[in-house]
Amino acid sequence: MHTYRQYILPPRQAAGEKENSVKYLKPYFIFCARVTTLAWRASPPKNLSVLAAVIISALALIACPILLGYGVQRTLENPDVWRQNLAVLVILYSILWLIGQSFRYLFYPAYGFIEQKMQSRHMADALVTSIGADPRARATLGASEIAYAVDAQAASIRETLATLYLSILPAGVGCIAGAVSILVMGGVPELGIFCGFVALYLAGSMPLIARHQKFQGEFFDGSMRIFGTLENTLSLWRESRILGAAPFLRDRYAQGRLPVEAKALKSYRYTMLLHTWQGAMLALCLLAIVLKTVLFGDGSPAQITGTAVALIGVCAAAIGPLQAVGFGVSTIAVSAERYRQAHHKIAAHAAENSGYLIDYVVTTGELSLRVDARNLSETSYGVYTVKPGRPCWVRGASGAGKSLLLERLLGVRATNSPTRLSMSAPQGTLRFVYLPQEAGLLVGTAHENVAFGRDIPVHICDRYLQAVGLSEFTSSGARCHDTVVGESGSVSGGEGRRIALARTLAAAETLNEQKALSPATVMVLDEPTAGLDAPTRARVWELIERAAHTAIVLVSTHDEDAPARQDDTVIEL
C-alpha cells in the first residue's frame, strides 16, 4: 500500500465559491502555526530571547515620543533651566531610541540560527517527501523543477518567520502600547480617533492585499512553469551553439516570460496602491488627533504642546509599523500559496487516470519471482518464474519497453491495469537493488557513492570498486578522496557507470548478509555494460553471473557479448 502526505494547505478557493472570512483565513493561520512550531523546535531558549528583544524594542519606540513630549512640557514650564532639561531629555531620548532601534539586533545571530536550522530541517524533510511521492506523478517532473520548488518552499517559510517575528509582533505590541498611551495622555476621544483610523486602515488594506496576493500567486505559478522552459533550453546548449540557434532560443524564452511579467506588474500596481492608502490613513490620523488636542485640549500651553508632541510621536510609532503589517499579511498569504504550490510539486499526487502501481505479494517459501509481463509491457504476453542460479534476460529492440517493464516491476512507473507481483522468500521478506540506465552519482567520493548512506563496510566497497576496475578509487587508492561529480571534480561516463554498478553489487551483498532483515534480494540491472570497453564488460558479466547464485537477477541489455545461455529465462519484447 502506498501512502502520501497531504497538502499543508487546501487548494485555492474556486471561482464563485462562497466562504466566510474565518474559513478563508483558517489555512493561513494553520500555515503560520506550522512555521512558528518549526521555529520553536529549532531552539526554545533562542526563540524566547528573540521575542523578548523584539517586544522590548517595540515598547522603547513607543516610550520615545512620550519622553519627548514630557521633556518639551518640562522645558517650557521651567525656562530658567531649559538647557539642563533639554540636555537630560536628549540623553534619555537617545538611549531609548537606541534600545528601540538596535536592541533586537543584538539577538539577530540567535534569530539567524533559528531561521537557518528551521530552513535546513524543512528542506531535508522536503527531500524525503519528494522521494516518497507518488511515482506516477514524480516521474513526470524534472529534478531541477522539484529543486526549485524545495527552495521556494524554504523561502516561503523564511519570509513568513521574518514577517511574524520582525514585523507583525513588534507592530502589534506597538499598536497596543500606543493605544494605551493615547488613552492615558489624551483620553477616550483621542483613542476613538486612533481606533477608527486603524479600522479604516485595515478595511482598505484587506482587499488590496487580496489582489496583491492573487497576482503574486499567479506570478509564482508562472515562474515555476517558465523555469521548466529555461531548464529545457539550457539543456540544448550544444545543439544551439553548433546550429547558431541562440537568438531563436533567447526570443522564444523572452516571449514565454511575457505573461509572467504581466502578473508581476499587476502585483507592483497593488503594492503602490497599498502603500498610498496606508500612508494617507496615517497622515489623516495624525492630523485629526493633533487638531483635537490643540483646539480642544485642556491645560496650559506647555501641557498642550507636550501632549501634542507625544501624541504625534506615539501615533506615528504605533500606526507606522502597521504599513509593514499590511505587506506582512500579504507576504504570509503569498508565502502560504507559494508553499502550497511547491508542495504540490514536491509531494506529487497522481491524477485519477494515471494508471496503477504494482501490488507486491510476498510469501514464505523458496526464493522466486513470478513476473506477469502482460501488464508490465504492452508488447509481451508471457508469465515467467525467475529463481536464483542464472540471470533472467530482458531482450528487445530500442524502444520496445525494456526500461519501462523494469521500472513498473520496481513500482516507480504506473501500469495500465491493476497488477500483482508474486514473490516468495525463505523468511517472507524480499528487497530490490537497482541499476538504472542513466545512473546518477552523488557529489562526493566514490566510496560515498557506493555506500550511499547505508552501513556497508569499507572492505566491501573496496572489493567491488576493484572488481569493476576502479582500484584508484578504493580507500588506499590515489583518487580515494576525489569528488566524482560536481564543480570540484568529475569522472568519465564509463567510470561513473562502474561506480554505480559497484553500488548495486555491494548493496546486494550487504542485504544478503543481513539475513535477519532481508534474506533475499532481487537485482534489477538496466544496460549494466553500456559505455564500457570489452575487457571491462567481460569483468562485469562475470560479477553479475556470480551474483545470480544468491539473488534473483533481471538484466536488460543490448550487449552481444552478454553470457546468455539457451536454457536461461528470457523475456522477449
Side-chain angles (χ1 to χ4, degrees):
M1 180 179 293
H2 299 267
T3 58
Y4 306 98
R5 296 186 182 181
Q6 298 299 314
Y7 291 147
I8 191 68
L9 291 172
R12 283 181 289 185
Q13 184 176 347
E17 183 180 348
K18 295 182 179 179
E19 290 187 334
N20 59 54
S21 59
V22 174
K23 188 175 181 181
Y24 175 75
L25 294 175
K26 183 178 178 180
Y28 302 117
F29 287 125
I30 294 174
F31 178 65
C32 290
R34 176 174 177 79
V35 172
T36 304
T37 302
L38 289 172
W40 189 260
R41 288 175 180 171
S43 173
K46 285 183 169 60
N47 274 272
L48 287 174
S49 64
V50 170
L51 293 175
V54 168
I55 291 172
I56 290 171
S57 295
L59 293 175
L61 290 176
I62 293 295
C64 279
I66 297 175
L67 175 65
L68 183 62
Y70 177 74
V72 168
Q73 178 184 333
R74 288 293 304 272
T75 301
L76 293 176
E77 289 176 343
N78 301 279
D80 295 338
V81 290
W82 68 272
R83 291 182 185 276
Q84 294 90 327
N85 288 338
L86 195 58
V88 172
L89 171 63
V90 169
I91 292 172
L92 294 177
Y93 183 89
S94 298
I95 293 172
L96 269 180
W97 185 87
L98 178 63
I99 294 173
Q101 292 292 334
S102 303
F103 184 70
R104 68 179 181 178
Y105 291 107
L106 295 177
F107 295 86
Y108 218 59
Y111 173 81
F113 174 88
I114 296 168
E115 178 191 85
Q116 292 303 313
K117 185 67 67 176
M118 175 186 70
Q119 185 172 277
S120 297
R121 288 178 178 176
H122 185 81
M123 294 178 79
D125 289 342
L127 172 64
V128 175
T129 300
S130 177
I131 293 172
D134 192 322
R136 293 169 292 181
R138 178 62 180 84
T140 64
L141 300 171
S144 296
E145 191 174 3
I146 295 176
Y148 181 80
V150 171
D151 185 68
Q153 202 173 63
S156 298
I157 292 175
R158 183 177 64 246
E159 291 168 7
T160 299
L161 181 69
T163 299
L164 292 172
Y165 276 30
L166 306 180
S167 178
I168 291 180
L169 175 62
V173 171
C175 190
I176 294 172
V180 173
S181 301
I182 290 170
L183 177 63
V184 173
M185 293 185 299
V188 174
E190 283 80 357
L191 178 62
I193 294 173
F194 174 78
C195 292
F197 275 101
V198 169
L200 284 174
Y201 177 97
L202 296 175
S205 296
M206 293 307 294
L208 295 175
I209 290 171
R211 298 294 290 175
H212 179 262
Q213 171 207 345
K214 175 180 180 294
F215 290 117
Q216 276 284 303
E218 292 176 356
F219 165 73
F220 176 73
D221 188 38
S223 295
M224 290 191 70
R225 295 177 188 277
I226 201 66
F227 187 82
T229 303
L230 178 62
E231 178 189 8
N232 170 254
T233 303
L234 291 173
S235 69
L236 297 171
W237 70 273
R238 297 178 183 85
E239 293 89 337
S240 61
R241 181 184 179 92
I242 294 171
L243 299 176
F248 161 73
L249 294 176
R250 177 200 60 204
D251 295 341
R252 184 173 180 269
Y253 177 72
Q255 187 69 26
R257 269 198 60 85
L258 290 179
V260 180
E261 294 174 7
K263 299 299 182 184
L265 290 176
K266 289 182 179 179
S267 171
Y268 295 145
R269 186 174 299 117
Y270 281 96
T271 300
M272 176 270 295
L273 292 174
L274 188 57
H275 266 301
T276 303
W277 171 259
Q278 293 174 345
M281 289 300 100
L282 173 59
L284 290 174
C285 180
L286 291 175
L287 177 63
I289 288 180
V290 170
L291 286 179
K292 165 64 176 64
T293 302
V294 172
L295 297 179
F296 304 102
D298 297 327
S300 65
Q303 291 176 327
I304 294 175
T305 302
T307 301
V309 170
L311 287 174
I312 290 173
V314 168
C315 288
I319 297 182
L322 290 179
Q323 283 191 295
V325 171
F327 280 98
V329 172
S330 179
T331 297
I332 290 174
V334 171
S335 295
E337 176 64 16
R338 184 166 54 173
Y339 185 100
R340 187 192 68 80
Q341 293 180 12
H343 191 77
H344 182 71
K345 295 282 186 182
I346 297 167
H349 290 250
E352 293 182 1
N353 59 348
S354 56
Y356 304 86
L357 291 177
I358 200 164
D359 185 17
Y360 300 104
V361 179
V362 186
T363 58
T364 302
E366 182 185 4
L367 180 59
S368 65
L369 173 69
R370 185 175 183 272
V371 181
D372 186 349
R374 292 171 298 181
N375 290 333
L376 296 178
S377 173
E378 288 77 7
T379 59
S380 179
Y381 300 95
V383 178
Y384 306 85
T385 299
V386 186
K387 297 181 179 181
R390 289 291 302 164
C392 171
W393 307 93
V394 181
R395 292 288 185 89
S398 295
K402 299 185 297 298
S403 297
L404 179 64
L405 182 146
L406 296 179
E407 290 184 355
R408 283 176 168 174
L409 182 145
L410 291 164
V412 294
R413 280 292 183 98
T415 60
N416 295 327
S417 58
T419 304
R420 285 191 173 186
L421 187 67
S422 299
M423 301 178 283
S424 66
Q427 296 183 21
T429 305
L430 191 145
R431 292 186 181 180
F432 290 93
V433 293
Y434 178 42
L435 176 69
Q437 193 173 83
E438 296 181 3
L441 297 178
L442 289 171
V443 178
T445 65
H447 256 269
E448 290 172 330
N449 273 276
V450 173
F452 212 65
R454 296 160 298 189
D455 188 18
I456 298 180
V458 173
H459 72 275
I460 292 182
C461 294
D462 284 345
R463 183 196 310 162
Y464 282 103
L465 285 171
Q466 288 177 337
V468 296
L470 295 175
S471 299
E472 65 271 27
F473 289 101
T474 62
S475 57
S476 59
R479 301 179 66 184
C480 64
H481 299 298
D482 284 9
T483 299
V484 298
V485 66
E487 295 181 359
S488 59
S490 61
V491 293
S492 67
E495 288 174 329
R497 189 71 180 163
R498 283 182 280 169
I499 291 172
L501 178 60
R503 175 170 66 203
T504 305
L505 295 171
E509 177 175 332
T510 303
L511 287 176
N512 282 330
E513 288 182 350
Q514 298 171 351
K515 296 188 181 300
L517 295 176
S518 180
T521 303
V522 177
M523 184 183 298
V524 180
L525 308 173
D526 195 353
E527 300 290 353
T529 59
L532 304 182
D533 57 28
T536 305
R537 290 201 305 272
R539 188 183 303 117
V540 168
W541 286 126
E542 181 182 346
L543 291 171
I544 291 172
E545 286 186 295
R546 190 184 309 161
H549 291 296
T550 56
I552 295 173
V553 178
L554 284 85
V555 185
S556 164
T557 184
H558 283 104
D559 190 350
E560 295 180 355
D561 296 327
R565 301 176 183 174
Q566 288 188 346
D567 58 343
D568 286 347
T569 302
V570 179
I571 302 176
E572 289 284 355
L573 303 182

